Amino acid sequence: MRLFLSSYRFGAHYDRLAALVGEPGRVALIPNACDAWPEAWAGAVTSDMVPLRKLGYAPETVDLRDFVDSPAELERTLADFPLLWVRGGNTFVLRAQFARSGADLVLPKLLAADALVYAGYSAGACVMTPDLHGIESVDDPAEVAPTCGIEPQWDGLGLVDRRIVPHLDSPTDPTGECGELAESYRAAGIAHWALTDDDAIVVDGDRTEVLISRAES
C-alpha cells in the first residue's frame, strides 16, 4: 500500500510523492470533496491540474458521481491510473461520495494489491482515517444530505491508524479551528497527527513515516 497524505497539496515533500510514484504519468484527479460548492467546483479542479501539469503529470478528472452504484466500473477506471489525487473540501461530502460510488470498497482493494498510489490532502487525507468525529467542527456534515442524498457517515476508510487534523497554524484557517480540534483530541487522549501545510504522512508497504514538524499522539 502506498499513501501520501498531506495538509495542503505536496506540502514540503514532493520528493517523497515522486519516490512513491516513479515517472510522472496519468493522474486521476478526484474533486468530489467540493461537490457541495458547484460554483467553485471547476475552479477547484483547475487549481489542482495546473501544479500537477507543471510537474509533468497528465491529470484527468474522475467524478465519483458518474459511478454511483457502479463500483465495478469505478474499479476498472481507477486501475488504469498509477496515481490518484484526491483534493480537499468537505470531508463528509467526500466520504459520502466514496460510499455512493463504492470507492470505499474499491480503494482498499486496489491499494492492497499495490495497483496505484493514493495521494490526498486535507479532506482527501482525513477520509483515510478510522473516525471522522471531531471534523464537524471544521467541515459541515449538514452539506451531505442536500448534496449526496444520504446521511453523513462518521467512519473513515481506516487505512491509517489515527485521525488527521490538517491546516495547523495555516493561513487557510485564520480562526484557528484546526488548532482547537487538535487540542480537543489531545485533551481526550485521541491518537492523531496534526499537520501544518508543510507536513505529510507517507505509507510505503508496512512502513509509515511521519514528515511532520510537531507530532501528536
Side-chain angles (χ1 to χ4, degrees):
M1 181 168 66
R2 290 172 292 162
L3 307 175
F4 182 88
L5 307 177
S6 65
S7 175
Y8 186 70
R9 293 188 180 152
F10 312 108
H13 302 285
Y14 170 69
D15 60 322
R16 301 307 303 277
L17 175 61
L20 289 178
V21 177
E23 288 296 316
R26 297 175 69 212
V27 181
L29 170 56
I30 298 177
N32 295 97
C34 297
D35 285 351
W37 316 320
E39 70 287 349
W41 202 89
V45 170
T46 300
S47 73
D48 279 300
M49 283 193 166
V50 169
L52 287 166
R53 285 174 176 154
K54 285 182 177 178
L55 290 166
Y57 294 93
E60 303 172 35
T61 302
V62 174
D63 188 343
L64 297 179
R65 294 173 294 186
D66 295 335
F67 298 91
V68 172
D69 298 325
S70 300
E73 183 183 355
L74 178 64
E75 182 175 352
R76 287 191 296 271
T77 298
L78 295 182
D80 282 340
F81 292 91
L83 172 63
L84 306 186
W85 181 261
V86 186
R87 64 154 291 129
N90 186 317
T91 305
F92 295 102
V93 170
L94 180 62
R95 177 66 182 92
Q97 301 297 37
F98 272 24
R100 296 174 74 220
S101 64
D104 53 356
L105 303 177
V106 166
L107 286 175
K109 179 180 177 181
L110 291 172
L111 288 164
D114 201 31
L116 47 77
V117 176
Y118 179 102
Y121 72 88
S122 194
C126 292
V127 77
M128 304 302 272
T129 68
D131 194 321
L132 305 184
H133 286 88
I135 296 176
E136 69 274 13
S137 66
V138 294
D139 290 344
D140 188 359
E143 292 184 332
V144 172
T147 302
C148 307
I150 63 173
E151 291 302 308
Q153 297 189 218
W154 295 85
D155 62 319
L157 272 62
L159 295 183
V160 292
D161 66 359
R162 62 189 65 193
R163 304 183 199 188
I164 290 174
V165 181
H167 307 308
L168 191 69
D169 300 326
S170 169
T172 65
D173 180 33
T175 59
E177 292 175 340
C178 293
E180 291 174 3
L181 175 58
E183 178 57 37
S184 73
Y185 286 160
R186 187 162 43 246
I190 296 171
H192 66 286
W193 292 301
L195 305 182
T196 73
D197 286 349
D198 286 338
D199 300 331
I201 309 299
V202 175
V203 178
D204 189 1
D206 294 332
R207 182 183 182 190
T208 299
E209 189 170 357
V210 184
L211 309 174
I212 193 169
S213 57
R214 65 175 88 173
E216 305 290 343
S217 61

